[in-house]
Structures are given as structure tokens and as C-alpha cells.
Amino acid sequence: MNNEPPVVLSDVDNLHITIEDGKVIFEVKFLDPEGDDVEVKIESDYFQLIQAFNKETGIFSWDVNFPVGFYTVTFSASDRKESVSIEAEIFYKKI
């Protein structure tokens, strides 16, 4: 039997988000087609962005207190055999 990688259930593939009000919330969920356990990880150059993701619920909720600019977050999921990742690019600008 072939193993398939986890799939993304959320509409977040290569997401580009522009924030003007200082808060961003979106959901990132993965499911394994064979029902294997999925380990989810988040990567960013900024610790605050890593803390903004709840692995149990799949909710990314960030109250922005960084300078105006671009911030990248990578979400990955593995079933210990195959893996998949998606990237969200967040652009914060002040109104």
C-alpha cells in the first residue's frame, strides 16, 4: 500500500494576507488520507509568530505589534513517512 502525504484542509496555500487593523486570524488544518497521526510544525524567524499558532485547533491568531513589513510563516505536516508544507506571507501596513 502506498502512503500519501497529509493534505491541507484549509484554504491557505501560498496565502498572502494584508493587515491594516493590527490583528490576523486564519485556520490551518491537515489530514492524513490513511488516518495516520499527523505532526504539525510552524516555522518563522519571529518567535511571536510561532506562538500565535495553536497546533490543537489549527488557529493562527496574531495581535501585531511589529513594525510595518512582510512576515513569513511556514506550516508543515508529517505522517512520519511523507510531509507537506504551506507558506503564509503576511504584510502589515498601518492605516
Side-chain angles (χ1 to χ4, degrees):
M1 177 182 213
N2 290 337
N3 183 67
E4 296 291 324
V7 294
V8 181
L9 295 180
S10 306
D11 188 22
V12 184
D13 195 15
N14 295 318
L15 182 66
H16 300 279
I17 304 167
T18 300
I19 309 167
E20 295 180 346
D21 65 359
K23 184 166 183 104
V24 62
I25 299 174
F26 57 88
E27 184 177 46
V28 180
K29 288 196 175 184
F30 298 91
L31 177 69
D32 186 76
E34 293 83 31
D36 296 333
D37 289 336
V38 175
E39 180 182 359
V40 178
K41 294 182 181 178
I42 180 173
E43 296 177 26
S44 175
D45 291 337
Y46 302 95
F47 185 69
Q48 185 183 24
L49 293 177
I50 294 170
Q51 288 185 310
F53 184 61
N54 182 322
K55 291 180 186 180
E56 300 301 317
T57 65
I59 301 295
F60 180 90
S61 179
W62 181 36
D63 290 313
V64 183
N65 61 358
F66 282 8
V68 169
F70 285 95
Y71 301 94
T72 302
V73 182
T74 302
F75 302 91
S76 61
S78 172
D79 65 3
R80 302 190 197 271
K81 298 172 194 130
E82 299 280 342
S83 63
V84 64
S85 65
I86 58 172
E87 186 173 273
E89 185 177 82
I90 301 167
F91 174 57
Y92 175 53
K93 67 178 185 177
K94 293 193 179 186
I95 299 175

